[in-house]
PDB file of all heavy atoms in Angstrom:
ATOM      1  N   PHE T 175      -0.222  -1.350   9.970  1.00  0.00           N
ATOM      2  CA  PHE T 175      -1.116  -2.236  10.605  1.00  0.00           C
ATOM      3  C   PHE T 175      -0.736  -2.520  12.112  1.00  0.00           C
ATOM      4  O   PHE T 175      -1.143  -3.569  12.593  1.00  0.00           O
ATOM      5  CB  PHE T 175      -1.142  -3.650   9.901  1.00  0.00           C
ATOM      6  CG  PHE T 175      -2.066  -3.530   8.666  1.00  0.00           C
ATOM      7  CD1 PHE T 175      -1.583  -3.638   7.474  1.00  0.00           C
ATOM      8  CD2 PHE T 175      -3.405  -3.496   8.849  1.00  0.00           C
ATOM      9  CE1 PHE T 175      -2.302  -3.663   6.270  1.00  0.00           C
ATOM     10  CE2 PHE T 175      -4.201  -3.474   7.625  1.00  0.00           C
ATOM     11  CZ  PHE T 175      -3.695  -3.508   6.525  1.00  0.00           C
ATOM     12  N   ILE T 190      -2.886  -6.366  16.412  1.00  0.00           N
ATOM     13  CA  ILE T 190      -4.311  -6.366  16.299  1.00  0.00           C
ATOM     14  C   ILE T 190      -4.552  -6.835  14.790  1.00  0.00           C
ATOM     15  O   ILE T 190      -4.209  -6.050  13.820  1.00  0.00           O
ATOM     16  CB  ILE T 190      -4.966  -5.019  16.551  1.00  0.00           C
ATOM     17  CG1 ILE T 190      -4.609  -4.502  18.004  1.00  0.00           C
ATOM     18  CG2 ILE T 190      -6.451  -5.051  16.358  1.00  0.00           C
ATOM     19  CD1 ILE T 190      -4.988  -3.086  18.220  1.00  0.00           C
ATOM     20  N   LYS T 191      -5.217  -7.951  14.514  1.00  0.00           N
ATOM     21  CA  LYS T 191      -5.413  -8.399  13.211  1.00  0.00           C
ATOM     22  C   LYS T 191      -6.338  -7.420  12.414  1.00  0.00           C
ATOM     23  O   LYS T 191      -7.277  -6.949  12.893  1.00  0.00           O
ATOM     24  CB  LYS T 191      -5.969  -9.871  13.205  1.00  0.00           C
ATOM     25  CG  LYS T 191      -4.955 -10.849  13.650  1.00  0.00           C
ATOM     26  CD  LYS T 191      -5.495 -12.270  13.408  1.00  0.00           C
ATOM     27  CE  LYS T 191      -4.422 -13.394  13.862  1.00  0.00           C
ATOM     28  NZ  LYS T 191      -5.004 -14.672  13.670  1.00  0.00           N
ATOM     29  N   PRO T 192      -6.057  -7.151  11.103  1.00  0.00           N
ATOM     30  CA  PRO T 192      -6.948  -6.501  10.259  1.00  0.00           C
ATOM     31  C   PRO T 192      -8.317  -7.136  10.274  1.00  0.00           C
ATOM     32  O   PRO T 192      -8.407  -8.360  10.259  1.00  0.00           O
ATOM     33  CB  PRO T 192      -6.305  -6.609   8.861  1.00  0.00           C
ATOM     34  CG  PRO T 192      -4.823  -6.841   9.198  1.00  0.00           C
ATOM     35  CD  PRO T 192      -4.803  -7.645  10.385  1.00  0.00           C
ATOM     36  N   GLN T 193      -9.385  -6.347  10.347  1.00  0.00           N
ATOM     37  CA  GLN T 193     -10.652  -6.908  10.274  1.00  0.00           C
ATOM     38  C   GLN T 193     -11.603  -5.768   9.899  1.00  0.00           C
ATOM     39  O   GLN T 193     -11.308  -4.600   9.964  1.00  0.00           O
ATOM     40  CB  GLN T 193     -11.120  -7.378  11.694  1.00  0.00           C
ATOM     41  CG  GLN T 193     -11.011  -6.410  12.822  1.00  0.00           C
ATOM     42  CD  GLN T 193     -11.401  -6.960  14.143  1.00  0.00           C
ATOM     43  OE1 GLN T 193     -12.570  -7.275  14.346  1.00  0.00           O
ATOM     44  NE2 GLN T 193     -10.373  -7.075  14.985  1.00  0.00           N
ATOM     45  N   THR T 194     -12.837  -6.252   9.480  1.00  0.00           N
ATOM     46  CA  THR T 194     -13.852  -5.115   9.199  1.00  0.00           C
ATOM     47  C   THR T 194     -15.113  -5.553  10.119  1.00  0.00           C
ATOM     48  O   THR T 194     -15.319  -6.738  10.369  1.00  0.00           O
ATOM     49  CB  THR T 194     -14.319  -5.177   7.784  1.00  0.00           C
ATOM     50  OG1 THR T 194     -14.683  -6.497   7.298  1.00  0.00           O
ATOM     51  CG2 THR T 194     -13.192  -4.623   6.876  1.00  0.00           C
ATOM     52  N   ILE T 195     -15.788  -4.557  10.497  1.00  0.00           N
ATOM     53  CA  ILE T 195     -17.071  -4.711  11.192  1.00  0.00           C
ATOM     54  C   ILE T 195     -18.113  -4.634  10.238  1.00  0.00           C
ATOM     55  O   ILE T 195     -18.384  -3.556   9.625  1.00  0.00           O
ATOM     56  CB  ILE T 195     -17.083  -3.735  12.409  1.00  0.00           C
ATOM     57  CG1 ILE T 195     -16.019  -3.780  13.264  1.00  0.00           C
ATOM     58  CG2 ILE T 195     -18.450  -3.883  13.118  1.00  0.00           C
ATOM     59  CD1 ILE T 195     -15.763  -2.626  14.220  1.00  0.00           C
ATOM     60  N   GLY T 196     -18.887  -5.678  10.000  1.00  0.00           N
ATOM     61  CA  GLY T 196     -19.821  -5.709   8.805  1.00  0.00           C
ATOM     62  C   GLY T 196     -18.944  -5.910   7.510  1.00  0.00           C
ATOM     63  O   GLY T 196     -18.026  -6.613   7.560  1.00  0.00           O
ATOM     64  N   GLN T 203     -13.755   1.821   6.869  1.00  0.00           N
ATOM     65  CA  GLN T 203     -14.058   2.198   8.189  1.00  0.00           C
ATOM     66  C   GLN T 203     -12.731   2.598   8.819  1.00  0.00           C
ATOM     67  O   GLN T 203     -11.677   2.423   8.285  1.00  0.00           O
ATOM     68  CB  GLN T 203     -14.736   1.098   8.999  1.00  0.00           C
ATOM     69  CG  GLN T 203     -13.821  -0.044   9.084  1.00  0.00           C
ATOM     70  CD  GLN T 203     -14.507  -1.216   9.776  1.00  0.00           C
ATOM     71  OE1 GLN T 203     -15.593  -1.594   9.429  1.00  0.00           O
ATOM     72  NE2 GLN T 203     -13.807  -1.790  10.658  1.00  0.00           N
ATOM     73  N   ASN T 204     -12.852   3.226  10.015  1.00  0.00           N
ATOM     74  CA  ASN T 204     -11.670   3.521  10.814  1.00  0.00           C
ATOM     75  C   ASN T 204     -10.777   2.304  10.962  1.00  0.00           C
ATOM     76  O   ASN T 204     -11.421   1.183  11.376  1.00  0.00           O
ATOM     77  CB  ASN T 204     -12.014   4.105  12.225  1.00  0.00           C
ATOM     78  CG  ASN T 204     -12.504   5.467  12.008  1.00  0.00           C
ATOM     79  OD1 ASN T 204     -12.486   6.153  10.974  1.00  0.00           O
ATOM     80  ND2 ASN T 204     -12.925   5.998  13.145  1.00  0.00           N
ATOM     81  N   ALA T 205      -9.481   2.298  10.754  1.00  0.00           N
ATOM     82  CA  ALA T 205      -8.627   1.091  11.089  1.00  0.00           C
ATOM     83  C   ALA T 205      -8.637   0.879  12.533  1.00  0.00           C
ATOM     84  O   ALA T 205      -8.739   1.693  13.304  1.00  0.00           O
ATOM     85  CB  ALA T 205      -7.202   1.398  10.556  1.00  0.00           C
ATOM     86  N   ILE T 206      -8.639  -0.413  12.940  1.00  0.00           N
ATOM     87  CA  ILE T 206      -8.739  -0.889  14.298  1.00  0.00           C
ATOM     88  C   ILE T 206      -7.610  -0.214  15.099  1.00  0.00           C
ATOM     89  O   ILE T 206      -7.715   0.155  16.242  1.00  0.00           O
ATOM     90  CB  ILE T 206      -8.616  -2.435  14.388  1.00  0.00           C
ATOM     91  CG1 ILE T 206      -9.891  -2.974  13.650  1.00  0.00           C
ATOM     92  CG2 ILE T 206      -8.645  -2.850  15.847  1.00  0.00           C
ATOM     93  CD1 ILE T 206     -11.218  -2.565  14.123  1.00  0.00           C
ATOM     94  N   ARG T 300      -9.844 -12.932   0.808  1.00  0.00           N
ATOM     95  CA  ARG T 300     -10.120 -11.606   1.447  1.00  0.00           C
ATOM     96  C   ARG T 300      -8.878 -11.049   1.923  1.00  0.00           C
ATOM     97  O   ARG T 300      -8.233 -11.598   2.921  1.00  0.00           O
ATOM     98  CB  ARG T 300     -11.243 -11.837   2.493  1.00  0.00           C
ATOM     99  CG  ARG T 300     -11.696 -10.491   3.028  1.00  0.00           C
ATOM    100  CD  ARG T 300     -12.944 -10.770   4.016  1.00  0.00           C
ATOM    101  NE  ARG T 300     -13.430  -9.544   4.560  1.00  0.00           N
ATOM    102  CZ  ARG T 300     -14.196  -8.779   4.011  1.00  0.00           C
ATOM    103  NH1 ARG T 300     -14.659  -8.925   2.820  1.00  0.00           N
ATOM    104  NH2 ARG T 300     -14.711  -7.693   4.673  1.00  0.00           N
ATOM    105  N   PHE T 302      -6.702  -7.033   2.831  1.00  0.00           N
ATOM    106  CA  PHE T 302      -7.054  -5.737   3.379  1.00  0.00           C
ATOM    107  C   PHE T 302      -6.135  -4.640   2.767  1.00  0.00           C
ATOM    108  O   PHE T 302      -5.040  -4.862   2.561  1.00  0.00           O
ATOM    109  CB  PHE T 302      -6.851  -5.762   4.888  1.00  0.00           C
ATOM    110  CG  PHE T 302      -7.935  -6.604   5.669  1.00  0.00           C
ATOM    111  CD1 PHE T 302      -7.893  -7.939   5.692  1.00  0.00           C
ATOM    112  CD2 PHE T 302      -9.005  -5.877   6.186  1.00  0.00           C
ATOM    113  CE1 PHE T 302      -8.981  -8.639   6.220  1.00  0.00           C
ATOM    114  CE2 PHE T 302      -9.966  -6.511   6.862  1.00  0.00           C
ATOM    115  CZ  PHE T 302      -9.987  -7.919   6.839  1.00  0.00           C
ATOM    116  N   GLN T 320      -9.613   1.498   6.612  1.00  0.00           N
ATOM    117  CA  GLN T 320      -9.339   0.099   6.106  1.00  0.00           C
ATOM    118  C   GLN T 320     -10.540  -0.505   5.592  1.00  0.00           C
ATOM    119  O   GLN T 320     -11.695  -0.203   5.977  1.00  0.00           O
ATOM    120  CB  GLN T 320      -8.685  -0.747   7.257  1.00  0.00           C
ATOM    121  CG  GLN T 320      -9.726  -1.156   8.307  1.00  0.00           C
ATOM    122  CD  GLN T 320      -9.017  -2.031   9.403  1.00  0.00           C
ATOM    123  OE1 GLN T 320      -7.877  -2.250   9.388  1.00  0.00           O
ATOM    124  NE2 GLN T 320      -9.876  -2.680  10.163  1.00  0.00           N
ATOM    125  N   THR T 321     -10.287  -1.497   4.698  1.00  0.00           N
ATOM    126  CA  THR T 321     -11.455  -2.315   4.288  1.00  0.00           C
ATOM    127  C   THR T 321     -10.917  -3.684   3.734  1.00  0.00           C
ATOM    128  O   THR T 321      -9.756  -3.759   3.305  1.00  0.00           O
ATOM    129  CB  THR T 321     -12.194  -1.633   3.089  1.00  0.00           C
ATOM    130  OG1 THR T 321     -13.376  -2.319   2.764  1.00  0.00           O
ATOM    131  CG2 THR T 321     -11.392  -1.480   1.899  1.00  0.00           C
ATOM    132  N   GLY T 322     -11.787  -4.676   3.859  1.00  0.00           N
ATOM    133  CA  GLY T 322     -11.452  -5.982   3.323  1.00  0.00           C
ATOM    134  C   GLY T 322     -11.942  -6.195   1.880  1.00  0.00           C
ATOM    135  O   GLY T 322     -13.136  -5.747   1.644  1.00  0.00           O
ATOM    136  N   TRP T 371       0.814 -12.189   7.639  1.00  0.00           N
ATOM    137  CA  TRP T 371       0.334 -11.175   6.792  1.00  0.00           C
ATOM    138  C   TRP T 371       1.463 -10.533   5.936  1.00  0.00           C
ATOM    139  O   TRP T 371       2.517 -10.180   6.525  1.00  0.00           O
ATOM    140  CB  TRP T 371      -0.302 -10.050   7.657  1.00  0.00           C
ATOM    141  CG  TRP T 371      -1.620 -10.503   8.335  1.00  0.00           C
ATOM    142  CD1 TRP T 371      -1.747 -11.136   9.517  1.00  0.00           C
ATOM    143  CD2 TRP T 371      -2.904 -10.384   7.701  1.00  0.00           C
ATOM    144  NE1 TRP T 371      -3.114 -11.494   9.686  1.00  0.00           N
ATOM    145  CE2 TRP T 371      -3.805 -11.006   8.622  1.00  0.00           C
ATOM    146  CE3 TRP T 371      -3.385  -9.920   6.509  1.00  0.00           C
ATOM    147  CZ2 TRP T 371      -5.137 -11.095   8.362  1.00  0.00           C
ATOM    148  CZ3 TRP T 371      -4.747  -9.931   6.190  1.00  0.00           C
ATOM    149  CH2 TRP T 371      -5.659 -10.563   7.148  1.00  0.00           C
TER     150      TRP T 371
END
Side-chain angles (χ1 to χ4, degrees):
F175 279 111
I190 303 172
K191 289 187 177 181
Q193 58 181 294
T194 53
I195 302 168
Q203 61 185 49
N204 289 351
I206 300 301
R300 188 172 178 79
F302 285 80
Q320 70 176 14
T321 189
W371 289 88

